[in-house]
Amino acid sequence: MLFLAPVNAQASPQTTFPSAAITAAVDDAVARYDLPGIAVGVVVDGEVRQWEVRGETVAGSGERVGRDTLFKVASNTKAMTAALLARQVDAGLLAWDDPVVKHLPGFRMYEDWVTREMQVRDLLIHNSGMGPGAGDLMLWPEPNRFTRDDVIAGLAYLKPRWSFRSRYAYDNTLYIVAGEVAAAVGGAPYDVLLQREVFEPLGMDACRIGEWRVADAGSVASPHVKRQGNWVARQDGEVVTDMPMAAAGGVRCSLDSMLRWTKAWLAEEVNSPTYAWLSAQQRAAMWTPHTPMPLPSRMRKWNGSHFYAYGYGWRLSDVDGTAKVAHTGTLSGMYSAVTLLPELDTGFVILINGEAGEARTVLEQVLTKQFTGPGEKRTVAHYAEDLARENAERASTVAEDAADVTTADARASARRSAASPDQLVSWLGKYRDPWFGDVSICTSDAGVRFESANSPRLSGPVLDGGGRWLVDFDTLESDADAWLDFANESADGRTQLTMAKVDPHADFSYDYEDLSFQRIGECARR
């Protein structure tokens, strides 16, 4: 089923461009959510009609955000990776239905039949059968010591939750595989190919991927998290290294470059260089629904949506009777959104350098409705208050569930004290998971610490949560905390360790539930 015709779409006439409303929406979002920095741009009829920038690259620095400031676009990278593969399909280097093992002979999934049947297209559409975010602990938190080869090798140990191609579940790790497929058929590293096949032809001069020097990039926004009511930046070093997660979320771009990306997808003139960059056949493939997605009640309520699906690196839906092609990006204190309304020849970009998921949701909705919504246009305050009611209802439900089902865990997580070596004497040692690698649970000056060999930021003290052990990671927010559950039930008699989120609603990228450790040795003598 083709989602929409990407060429010569009939746009509804926009009698008045809503410039003042867009400015007001950005100002309202910045004020309501106290954003450290933001860049927003709107494209209509192939031209940048408006841009708005606010705030600082680093809170308190005085360095202003500009149209040339680089932001992490995070998962908006996925459509770029898919476009790279689409260019290779156009060039005859691969086909969407090629088996992945044709290009990566060492590729393995947990089940042999899935390994044989996995096609290149399957790498992009979240239908693998793995749980949401499976294997993400090899990608985040960054920096870490995993390589792309580690990520690909680890897939063989990630047990599926569902049957292959049976349902949608978002993943990042298979996009790493997609990047390596592109490298294998293109004869060059992923970052070189993305620069050559995507950035250069579209004039996205400010985009960066792979390893690069911050001093050579000009203005660079730092990600921020809120601590005790203040924005705290996590700044880059002198060199941004080539991370294994590049093909899933490693691109940084300026607003101007992202608006060029937007224009490339809205291009309608078949003979123009921008349109010719990708064939009509591959443009259609990118925007064809491949995996149905659950349709949230909020989309039905806010947008009158009737369907929701995933294409190649894009989410596809309808809003107020017109087609919507979009994606968001979320990564370590950076939020982005790219929204295309092809039948209205309209698109816009939102880039924020702070933990601001709600701000992005609300602002994206207000801007969308400026072009699609009939009648009165809703404000940032309207949607923010609607979200607040929704969150309150969810919190009430969670509290009721906790009281009925997990009262013990709720009480335990509220009573935390440092675990002593005597309390954990039976469980101290070194442990290994087949895809995550080695961790140690050993004594320290302050008690007992959990230390990861491959992901140094996943380290912290072990606490007594009132009858259940947990680790409080040093440099991560409290929603990253994890339960530690020990057992002596393995067939070979070795101690086992499994983990789970203390906050069951934490980001799925904390995929502790996919870990299964066995003790491999004793702690080193102190």
Side-chain angles (χ1 to χ4, degrees), residues 227-500:
R227 292 207 175 99
Q228 297 179 338
N230 297 312
W231 288 111
V232 177
R234 187 161 70 86
Q235 295 181 255
D236 297 297
E238 293 182 2
V239 176
V240 173
T241 58
D242 182 17
M243 292 295 185
M245 47 72 72
V251 168
R252 300 199 205 190
C253 285
S254 69
L255 176 63
D256 277 348
S257 286
M258 289 303 291
L259 292 173
R260 288 180 180 271
W261 174 246
T262 301
K263 288 195 285 186
W265 289 102
L266 295 173
E268 295 183 1
E269 180 52 57
V270 175
N271 295 322
S272 71
T274 300
Y275 187 91
W277 164 74
L278 196 64
S279 70
Q281 181 181 3
Q282 295 313 316
R283 286 174 179 269
M286 293 277 288
W287 288 0
T288 295
H290 294 283
T291 305
M293 298 168 64
L295 181 61
S297 59
R298 184 194 301 161
M299 288 179 62
R300 293 194 295 269
K301 174 183 175 183
W302 283 4
N303 295 332
S305 299
H306 297 87
F307 88 103
Y308 199 24
Y310 208 89
Y312 293 157
W314 292 102
R315 296 184 181 116
L316 313 171
S317 64
D318 62 308
V319 50
D320 297 326
T322 194
K324 178 179 176 181
V325 180
H327 213 288
T328 55
T330 303
L331 180 61
S332 302
M334 286 264 187
Y335 281 70
S336 69
V338 176
T339 301
L340 309 175
L341 305 169
E343 292 169 340
L344 306 181
D345 200 9
T346 296
F348 55 87
V349 175
I350 300 170
L351 304 170
I352 304 173
N353 63 335
E355 293 280 357
E358 187 171 314
R360 177 185 62 192
T361 297
V362 168
L363 184 57
E364 196 272 349
Q365 180 66 17
V366 171
L367 296 186
T368 298
K369 288 293 192 174
Q370 291 300 322
F371 300 96
T372 70
E376 180 185 358
K377 308 300 184 185
R378 303 294 189 182
T379 63
V380 164
H382 170 85
Y383 291 110
E385 290 163 6
D386 206 10
L387 277 186
R389 286 189 293 271
E390 183 181 307
N391 292 337
E393 292 170 2
R394 182 184 301 112
S396 176
T397 301
V398 169
E400 290 174 5
D401 290 345
D404 293 340
V405 181
T406 60
T407 303
D409 281 354
R411 286 199 303 265
S413 64
R415 295 199 311 271
R416 302 182 181 187
S417 59
S420 71
D422 288 344
Q423 289 176 299
L424 285 166
V425 65
S426 298
W427 312 120
L428 297 177
K430 296 181 179 179
Y431 293 77
R432 177 169 295 160
D433 174 84
W435 63 268
F436 185 71
D438 293 355
V439 303
S440 63
I441 300 174
C442 298
T443 59
S444 70
D445 293 339
V448 178
R449 281 186 65 81
F450 177 104
E451 302 273 357
S452 167
N454 290 329
S455 188
R457 294 189 69 206
L458 286 177
S459 298
V462 177
L463 306 182
D464 180 352
R468 193 178 181 188
W469 312 111
L470 63 94
V471 56
D472 179 13
F473 294 114
D474 294 329
T475 62
L476 303 179
E477 297 301 296
S478 59
D479 67 348
D481 293 353
W483 294 117
L484 303 176
D485 294 312
F486 301 94
N488 278 318
E489 299 174 356
S490 62
D492 59 7
R494 287 195 290 179
T495 300
Q496 293 178 304
L497 166 65
T498 55
M499 298 173 65

Side-chain angles (χ1 to χ4, degrees), residues 155-215:
L155 290 167
Y157 301 98
L158 289 166
K159 296 180 181 180
R161 295 192 194 177
W162 307 287
S163 182
F164 180 41
R165 295 183 181 145
S166 66
R167 68 179 67 196
Y168 168 89
Y170 194 84
D171 76 74
N172 291 292
T173 47
L174 290 179
Y175 267 82
I176 310 307
V177 181
E180 292 308 285
V181 168
V185 302
Y190 167 81
D191 60 301
V192 173
L193 293 171
L194 196 69
Q195 183 75 33
R196 187 180 76 200
E197 299 295 326
V198 178
F199 298 164
E200 290 178 5
L202 298 181
M204 299 167 66
D205 300 335
C207 293
R208 297 290 185 274
I209 187 67
E211 184 172 299
W212 49 278
R213 294 184 59 81
V214 172

